[in-house]
Short mmCIF file of all heavy atoms in Angstrom, two decimals:
data_model
loop_
_atom_site.label_atom_id
_atom_site.label_comp_id
_atom_site.label_asym_id
_atom_site.label_seq_id
_atom_site.Cartn_x
_atom_site.Cartn_y
_atom_site.Cartn_z
N THR A 207 -32.98 6.87 -15.35
CA THR A 207 -32.34 5.61 -15.01
C THR A 207 -32.02 4.80 -16.26
O THR A 207 -30.92 4.26 -16.40
CB THR A 207 -33.24 4.78 -14.07
OG1 THR A 207 -33.49 5.53 -12.87
CG2 THR A 207 -32.58 3.46 -13.70
N ILE A 208 -32.97 4.75 -17.19
CA ILE A 208 -32.74 4.01 -18.44
C ILE A 208 -31.58 4.63 -19.22
O ILE A 208 -30.70 3.93 -19.72
CB ILE A 208 -34.02 3.98 -19.30
CG1 ILE A 208 -35.09 3.14 -18.60
CG2 ILE A 208 -33.72 3.40 -20.68
CD1 ILE A 208 -36.43 3.16 -19.30
N ARG A 209 -31.57 5.97 -19.31
CA ARG A 209 -30.48 6.65 -20.05
C ARG A 209 -29.12 6.34 -19.42
O ARG A 209 -28.17 5.99 -20.13
CB ARG A 209 -30.70 8.17 -20.04
CG ARG A 209 -31.81 8.67 -20.93
CD ARG A 209 -31.65 10.16 -21.20
NE ARG A 209 -31.40 10.91 -19.98
CZ ARG A 209 -32.33 11.51 -19.25
NH1 ARG A 209 -33.60 11.42 -19.61
NH2 ARG A 209 -32.01 12.21 -18.17
N ASP A 210 -29.02 6.47 -18.10
CA ASP A 210 -27.73 6.27 -17.43
C ASP A 210 -27.29 4.81 -17.49
O ASP A 210 -26.09 4.51 -17.64
CB ASP A 210 -27.80 6.75 -15.98
CG ASP A 210 -27.77 8.27 -15.86
OD1 ASP A 210 -27.53 8.93 -16.89
OD2 ASP A 210 -28.00 8.78 -14.76
N LEU A 211 -28.24 3.89 -17.36
CA LEU A 211 -27.91 2.47 -17.45
C LEU A 211 -27.40 2.13 -18.85
O LEU A 211 -26.38 1.46 -19.01
CB LEU A 211 -29.12 1.61 -17.11
CG LEU A 211 -29.52 1.53 -15.63
CD1 LEU A 211 -30.85 0.79 -15.50
CD2 LEU A 211 -28.45 0.82 -14.81
N ILE A 212 -28.12 2.59 -19.87
CA ILE A 212 -27.72 2.32 -21.25
C ILE A 212 -26.38 2.96 -21.56
O ILE A 212 -25.50 2.35 -22.18
CB ILE A 212 -28.80 2.83 -22.23
CG1 ILE A 212 -30.04 1.94 -22.18
CG2 ILE A 212 -28.25 2.91 -23.65
CD1 ILE A 212 -29.85 0.57 -22.78
N PHE A 213 -26.19 4.22 -21.10
CA PHE A 213 -24.92 4.90 -21.34
C PHE A 213 -23.76 4.09 -20.77
O PHE A 213 -22.75 3.85 -21.44
CB PHE A 213 -24.94 6.29 -20.72
CG PHE A 213 -23.61 6.99 -20.76
CD1 PHE A 213 -23.22 7.65 -21.90
CD2 PHE A 213 -22.75 6.97 -19.67
CE1 PHE A 213 -21.97 8.28 -21.96
CE2 PHE A 213 -21.52 7.59 -19.72
CZ PHE A 213 -21.13 8.25 -20.87
N GLY A 214 -23.90 3.66 -19.51
CA GLY A 214 -22.83 2.90 -18.87
C GLY A 214 -22.55 1.59 -19.57
O GLY A 214 -21.39 1.19 -19.75
N LYS A 215 -23.61 0.92 -20.00
CA LYS A 215 -23.43 -0.37 -20.64
C LYS A 215 -22.91 -0.23 -22.07
O LYS A 215 -22.17 -1.09 -22.55
CB LYS A 215 -24.75 -1.15 -20.61
CG LYS A 215 -25.18 -1.49 -19.18
CD LYS A 215 -26.48 -2.24 -19.14
CE LYS A 215 -27.01 -2.32 -17.71
NZ LYS A 215 -26.04 -2.88 -16.77
N LEU A 216 -23.28 0.84 -22.75
CA LEU A 216 -22.71 1.09 -24.07
C LEU A 216 -21.21 1.30 -23.97
O LEU A 216 -20.44 0.80 -24.80
CB LEU A 216 -23.36 2.32 -24.71
CG LEU A 216 -24.74 2.13 -25.34
CD1 LEU A 216 -25.35 3.48 -25.71
CD2 LEU A 216 -24.67 1.23 -26.57
N PHE A 217 -20.79 2.06 -22.96
CA PHE A 217 -19.35 2.32 -22.78
C PHE A 217 -18.61 1.03 -22.44
O PHE A 217 -17.65 0.65 -23.11
CB PHE A 217 -19.14 3.35 -21.66
CG PHE A 217 -17.69 3.54 -21.32
CD1 PHE A 217 -16.88 4.31 -22.13
CD2 PHE A 217 -17.14 2.94 -20.19
CE1 PHE A 217 -15.52 4.47 -21.84
CE2 PHE A 217 -15.80 3.11 -19.89
CZ PHE A 217 -14.98 3.88 -20.71
N ALA A 218 -19.10 0.32 -21.40
CA ALA A 218 -18.42 -0.91 -20.98
C ALA A 218 -18.50 -1.99 -22.05
O ALA A 218 -17.58 -2.79 -22.19
CB ALA A 218 -19.05 -1.40 -19.67
N GLY A 219 -19.59 -1.98 -22.81
CA GLY A 219 -19.83 -3.05 -23.77
C GLY A 219 -19.03 -2.96 -25.04
O GLY A 219 -19.00 -3.91 -25.82
N HIS A 220 -18.40 -1.81 -25.31
CA HIS A 220 -17.60 -1.77 -26.54
C HIS A 220 -16.15 -1.37 -26.29
O HIS A 220 -15.25 -1.89 -26.95
CB HIS A 220 -18.24 -0.84 -27.58
CG HIS A 220 -17.78 0.57 -27.56
ND1 HIS A 220 -18.22 1.49 -26.64
CD2 HIS A 220 -16.89 1.24 -28.34
CE1 HIS A 220 -17.63 2.65 -26.87
NE2 HIS A 220 -16.83 2.54 -27.89
N GLU A 221 -15.87 -0.51 -25.33
CA GLU A 221 -14.50 -0.07 -25.09
C GLU A 221 -13.61 -1.23 -24.62
O GLU A 221 -12.65 -1.59 -25.28
CB GLU A 221 -14.48 1.05 -24.05
CG GLU A 221 -14.77 2.43 -24.62
CD GLU A 221 -13.59 3.02 -25.37
OE1 GLU A 221 -12.43 2.72 -25.03
OE2 GLU A 221 -13.83 3.80 -26.30
N THR A 222 -13.93 -1.81 -23.47
CA THR A 222 -13.08 -2.86 -22.91
C THR A 222 -13.11 -4.12 -23.78
O THR A 222 -12.11 -4.82 -23.90
CB THR A 222 -13.52 -3.20 -21.48
OG1 THR A 222 -14.92 -3.50 -21.47
CG2 THR A 222 -13.27 -2.03 -20.54
N THR A 223 -14.26 -4.41 -24.40
CA THR A 223 -14.36 -5.57 -25.29
C THR A 223 -13.43 -5.41 -26.49
O THR A 223 -12.76 -6.36 -26.90
CB THR A 223 -15.81 -5.75 -25.77
OG1 THR A 223 -16.66 -5.91 -24.64
CG2 THR A 223 -15.94 -6.97 -26.66
N ALA A 224 -13.38 -4.20 -27.04
CA ALA A 224 -12.52 -3.95 -28.20
C ALA A 224 -11.04 -4.12 -27.85
O ALA A 224 -10.28 -4.74 -28.61
CB ALA A 224 -12.78 -2.55 -28.74
N TYR A 225 -10.63 -3.57 -26.72
CA TYR A 225 -9.22 -3.71 -26.31
C TYR A 225 -8.87 -5.17 -26.08
O TYR A 225 -7.79 -5.64 -26.47
CB TYR A 225 -8.96 -2.89 -25.04
CG TYR A 225 -8.80 -1.42 -25.29
CD1 TYR A 225 -9.89 -0.56 -25.33
CD2 TYR A 225 -7.54 -0.85 -25.46
CE1 TYR A 225 -9.75 0.80 -25.56
CE2 TYR A 225 -7.38 0.51 -25.68
CZ TYR A 225 -8.49 1.33 -25.74
OH TYR A 225 -8.33 2.68 -25.97
N THR A 226 -9.78 -5.93 -25.46
CA THR A 226 -9.51 -7.35 -25.20
C THR A 226 -9.41 -8.13 -26.50
O THR A 226 -8.50 -8.95 -26.68
CB THR A 226 -10.63 -7.95 -24.32
OG1 THR A 226 -10.75 -7.19 -23.11
CG2 THR A 226 -10.31 -9.40 -23.96
N ALA A 227 -10.32 -7.87 -27.44
CA ALA A 227 -10.29 -8.57 -28.72
C ALA A 227 -9.01 -8.26 -29.49
O ALA A 227 -8.40 -9.15 -30.10
CB ALA A 227 -11.51 -8.20 -29.55
N MET A 228 -8.58 -6.99 -29.46
CA MET A 228 -7.34 -6.62 -30.15
C MET A 228 -6.15 -7.37 -29.57
O MET A 228 -5.34 -7.95 -30.29
CB MET A 228 -7.10 -5.11 -30.04
CG MET A 228 -5.78 -4.68 -30.68
SD MET A 228 -5.08 -3.15 -29.99
CE MET A 228 -4.70 -3.67 -28.30
#
Side-chain angles (χ1 to χ4, degrees):
T207 300
I208 293 174
R209 287 198 312 266
D210 285 351
L211 286 172
I212 288 289
F213 172 83
K215 295 180 191 305
L216 281 171
F217 173 77
H220 92 281
E221 278 283 330
T222 53
T223 302
Y225 282 87
T226 304
M228 177 206 66

